[in-house]
């Protein structure tokens, strides 16, 4: 058990990010903070520190239990950190999943097939007064 570790290596070893370079980029872009202060990838962390990681739309919080620099299996993660993320953050994540296509930025492209089907289910022809039953009655 080490007493300290580089933040980019710890984030990768604790499986917060898939690669170490992605973890380093997150640090450089201000998405990783400790005590409200942005940290560089070379920042040394110690046990007991709380690390905040912004992964839109939520901010995860982890309390460091063990400072590791070698990647471990997923079953060993409870020995590495404690997830202290606020429940409100998970509510934000659920709301973004529910809203789905509504938050699409203007001009980002066409809707996906799944989003198109959801739109079609939401906007039914009956809402605009187009009923197929009315046409068949007039023909008779």
């Amino acid at each position: 058990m080490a007493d300290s570790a580089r933040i980019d290596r710890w984030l990768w070893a604790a499986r917060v990010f898939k690669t170490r370079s992605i973890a380093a980029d997150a640090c450089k872009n201000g998405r990783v903070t400790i005590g409200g202060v942005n940290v560089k990838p070379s920042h040394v962390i110690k046990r007991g520190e709380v690390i905040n990681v912004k992964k839109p739309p939520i901010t995860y919080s982890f309390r460091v239990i063990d400072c590791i620099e070698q990647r471990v299996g997923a079953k060993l993660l409870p020995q590495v950190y404690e997830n202290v993320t606020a429940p409100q953050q998970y509510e934000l994540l659920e709301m973004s999943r529910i809203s789905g296509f509504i938050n699409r930025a203007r001009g980002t492209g066409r809707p996906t097939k799944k989003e198109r089907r959801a739109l079609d289910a939401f906007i039914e022809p009956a809402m605009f007064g187009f009923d197929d039953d009315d046409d068949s009655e007039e023909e008779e």
Side-chain angles (χ1 to χ4, degrees):
M1 291 185 134
D3 291 334
S4 62
R6 284 177 53 115
I7 185 103
D8 61 338
R9 290 187 63 105
W10 186 87
L11 290 169
W12 166 76
R15 297 179 176 265
V16 177
F17 290 102
K18 189 173 183 178
T19 66
R20 185 172 165 205
S21 61
I22 294 172
D25 287 342
C27 293
K28 290 175 188 172
N29 294 330
R31 287 188 232 116
V32 179
T33 59
I34 296 176
V37 178
N38 293 343
V39 293
K40 293 181 178 179
S42 61
H43 180 82
V44 177
I45 59 167
K46 296 173 183 63
R47 286 191 191 113
E49 288 186 318
V50 176
I51 300 171
N52 296 318
V53 179
K54 293 177 193 157
K55 284 186 169 183
I58 70 172
T59 302
Y60 295 95
S61 299
F62 306 105
R63 179 173 288 118
V64 179
I65 295 174
D66 188 14
C67 295
I68 59 171
E69 289 193 347
Q70 295 294 317
R71 198 162 173 103
V72 296
K75 290 183 179 179
L76 299 177
L77 290 181
Q79 301 169 5
V80 176
Y81 65 78
E82 177 186 357
N83 189 348
V84 292
T85 306
Q88 295 85 3
Q89 294 294 321
Y90 289 112
E91 290 173 12
L92 282 174
L93 181 62
E94 188 61 30
M95 290 301 290
S96 70
R97 284 185 185 151
I98 291 170
S99 64
F101 60 87
I102 295 172
N103 291 334
R104 177 183 293 280
R106 186 175 181 90
T108 58
R110 295 170 54 181
T112 63
K113 188 182 238 182
K114 182 177 181 181
E115 293 169 342
R116 184 71 211 169
R117 287 180 178 160
L119 282 169
D120 289 342
F122 179 71
I123 303 173
E124 296 178 8
M127 290 180 67
F128 298 104
F130 303 120
D131 283 336
D132 294 331
D133 297 339
D134 294 338
D135 295 337
S136 61
E137 291 175 7
E138 292 174 5
E139 293 174 5
E140 293 176 6

